[in-house]
Amino acid sequence: MRIGVIGTGRIGTIHANTLSRHRDVGSLILTDANPSRAQELAQRLGETAAPGMDEIFRWGVDAVVITTATSAHAELIGRSARSGLPVFCEKPIALDLPGTLQAIAEVETAGTILQMGFQRRFDAGYAGAREAVRSGRLGRLHTVRALTSDQAPPPAAWLPLSGGLYRDTLIHDFDMLRWVTGREVVDVYAAGSDAGPVMFREAGDVDTAAAVLTLEDGTLATATATRLNGAGYDVRMELAGELDQVVVGLDDRTPIASTEPTGPPAADKPWTGFLERFGPAYEAELNAFVEVVRGERANPCDGREALQALRISEACELSRRDRRPVALGELPGGTTTAAL
């Protein structure tokens, strides 16, 4: 199998490393907006660098992995679909719903594969939480608390391109809310704060955000995120039911300290970022993509699944801006039911 990797930045490099050593992948063609970066990575991996993305399609590949800037995702997904190629793409498909729906339509018209990069679906902790909910261990689920806290903010120049905290960061928590519980979000009420560094205000973004979400069965969920969690990278999900409760992301590297006299000690080596925390999950999702392309398993996260996470993000952004509750029914594209 020959795979084209478009984008060799931080996450593209990780994916290229995973694919280069995969037993079912014979070779890679790498390209990037910065050709020298792709050439350097290709030399390091013993793969081939292409001068541009056109060569990815002209030279012939069996599948495409897209890890470019988000603004290019939808166009590349459509081009791959028209070429009959399976695609793995980092989230999101696009930064707006019309662009997302158009790209999905192209994939569905072509009858090709689009697997989206929501790596938390391959994390052992979230998989365990899903099993706890589905097995009935928790009884009736009544409360979910999700959070994602970055240790340090991204570069100021990147903020205007990110789509904002809801679309860039909390979209993962929204995907997990659906995937773990098997329930759809019906309405949200969200707020955000830009009281931190001025670069967030200049970008029209917030550095901290919170949302209250109601699921279709009445379960209440909260989701919070921040770019300024100095203690370390913190990603957790707590699920409480009438019989039991469980937590994802609580281990000896969780960057939180107890004020109780008999509480656990603070982490000696707290998580520093998502690439470290979710390293095994990133590798597992690419292994899954190879299996999907080979016809050995079903697609674990198609475009319609990614669309629903984006719809929740869009609803939160609308709620924050208008300072009002927003029903998901106000937004287009609500046709998928959360995977049970």
Side-chain angles (χ1 to χ4, degrees), residues 138-197:
L138 306 185
R140 182 187 69 83
L141 187 66
H142 54 73
T143 307
V144 182
R145 293 176 286 269
L147 67 89
T148 296
S149 300
D150 292 329
Q151 184 175 30
W158 183 81
L159 287 175
L161 309 176
S162 71
L165 193 55
Y166 290 107
R167 299 184 191 94
D168 178 55
T169 299
L170 277 167
I171 194 170
H172 283 289
D173 297 275
F174 300 150
D175 181 63
M176 283 299 92
L177 186 57
R178 297 181 65 249
W179 188 75
V180 169
T181 68
R183 298 290 181 263
E184 295 291 353
V185 173
V186 295
D187 59 53
V188 307
Y189 191 88
S193 170
D194 61 2

Side-chain angles (χ1 to χ4, degrees), residues 162-249:
S162 71
L165 193 55
Y166 290 107
R167 299 184 191 94
D168 178 55
T169 299
L170 277 167
I171 194 170
H172 283 289
D173 297 275
F174 300 150
D175 181 63
M176 283 299 92
L177 186 57
R178 297 181 65 249
W179 188 75
V180 169
T181 68
R183 298 290 181 263
E184 295 291 353
V185 173
V186 295
D187 59 53
V188 307
Y189 191 88
S193 170
D194 61 2
V198 68
M199 65 181 182
F200 292 97
R201 293 186 290 281
E202 293 175 342
D205 197 5
V206 294
D207 57 72
T208 304
V212 177
L213 311 98
T214 305
L215 307 190
E216 59 190 343
D217 63 349
T219 300
L220 294 177
T222 60
T224 63
T226 185
R227 302 286 197 188
L228 302 164
N229 197 58
Y233 181 69
D234 191 6
V235 172
R236 281 176 281 143
M237 173 180 271
E238 301 172 6
L239 301 106
E242 292 183 345
L243 299 180
D244 201 357
Q245 63 178 344
V246 294
V247 59
V248 180

Side-chain angles (χ1 to χ4, degrees), residues 4-325:
V5 179
I6 305 177
T8 55
R10 184 170 53 172
I11 194 64
T13 296
I14 288 175
H15 289 338
N17 273 278
T18 296
L19 293 168
S20 184
R21 63 177 183 267
H22 196 291
R23 64 182 182 182
D24 294 321
V25 177
S27 62
L28 303 178
I29 301 177
L30 311 177
T31 191
D32 192 89
N34 179 352
S36 62
R37 185 164 65 178
Q39 183 66 47
E40 180 183 343
L41 179 60
Q43 290 177 347
R44 191 160 69 243
L45 297 178
E47 304 289 356
T48 301
M53 65 182 65
D54 289 344
E55 284 75 14
I56 294 286
F57 298 95
R58 286 208 303 263
W59 292 358
V61 294
D62 300 301
V64 174
V65 171
I66 300 170
T67 61
T68 62
T70 298
S71 58
H73 287 184
E75 178 184 352
L76 290 172
I77 289 170
R79 184 172 183 180
S80 300
R82 294 189 295 274
S83 300
L85 294 172
V87 172
F88 175 93
C89 184
E90 280 300 321
K91 62 82 191 166
I93 294 173
L95 288 177
D96 58 25
L97 289 173
T100 299
L101 289 165
Q102 176 60 34
I104 291 172
E106 292 215 57
V107 170
E108 293 178 347
T109 297
T112 53
I113 293 166
L114 171 60
Q115 179 183 328
M116 294 303 298
F118 281 97
Q119 87 285 350
R120 295 187 194 183
R121 292 183 176 221
F122 297 88
D123 178 71
Y126 283 103
R130 177 182 163 103
E131 173 59 26
V133 172
R134 309 308 175 84
S135 68
R137 169 184 164 186
L138 306 185
R140 182 187 69 83
L141 187 66
H142 54 73
T143 307
V144 182
R145 293 176 286 269
L147 67 89
T148 296
S149 300
D150 292 329
Q151 184 175 30
W158 183 81
L159 287 175
L161 309 176
S162 71
L165 193 55
Y166 290 107
R167 299 184 191 94
D168 178 55
T169 299
L170 277 167
I171 194 170
H172 283 289
D173 297 275
F174 300 150
D175 181 63
M176 283 299 92
L177 186 57
R178 297 181 65 249
W179 188 75
V180 169
T181 68
R183 298 290 181 263
E184 295 291 353
V185 173
V186 295
D187 59 53
V188 307
Y189 191 88
S193 170
D194 61 2
V198 68
M199 65 181 182
F200 292 97
R201 293 186 290 281
E202 293 175 342
D205 197 5
V206 294
D207 57 72
T208 304
V212 177
L213 311 98
T214 305
L215 307 190
E216 59 190 343
D217 63 349
T219 300
L220 294 177
T222 60
T224 63
T226 185
R227 302 286 197 188
L228 302 164
N229 197 58
Y233 181 69
D234 191 6
V235 172
R236 281 176 281 143
M237 173 180 271
E238 301 172 6
L239 301 106
E242 292 183 345
L243 299 180
D244 201 357
Q245 63 178 344
V246 294
V247 59
V248 180
L250 182 61
D251 59 21
D252 60 0
R253 298 192 65 183
T254 304
I256 192 167
S258 173
T259 61
E260 299 296 333
T262 58
D268 290 332
K269 188 181 179 182
W271 298 108
T272 58
F274 62 92
L275 294 177
E276 181 187 32
R277 166 66 176 83
F278 291 110
Y282 279 114
E283 182 168 350
E285 70 177 356
L286 264 294
N287 292 337
F289 178 61
V290 173
E291 293 175 356
V292 170
V293 173
R294 288 170 57 86
E296 297 171 353
R297 67 173 292 172
N299 190 341
C301 187
D302 63 18
R304 292 283 170 182
E305 290 289 301
L307 168 64
Q308 300 313 316
L310 179 60
R311 289 178 72 245
I312 300 169
S313 301
E314 291 284 327
C316 286
E317 186 58 44
L318 180 60
S319 175
R320 180 187 74 86
R321 188 185 68 209
D322 292 355
R323 294 182 176 271
R324 66 175 178 88

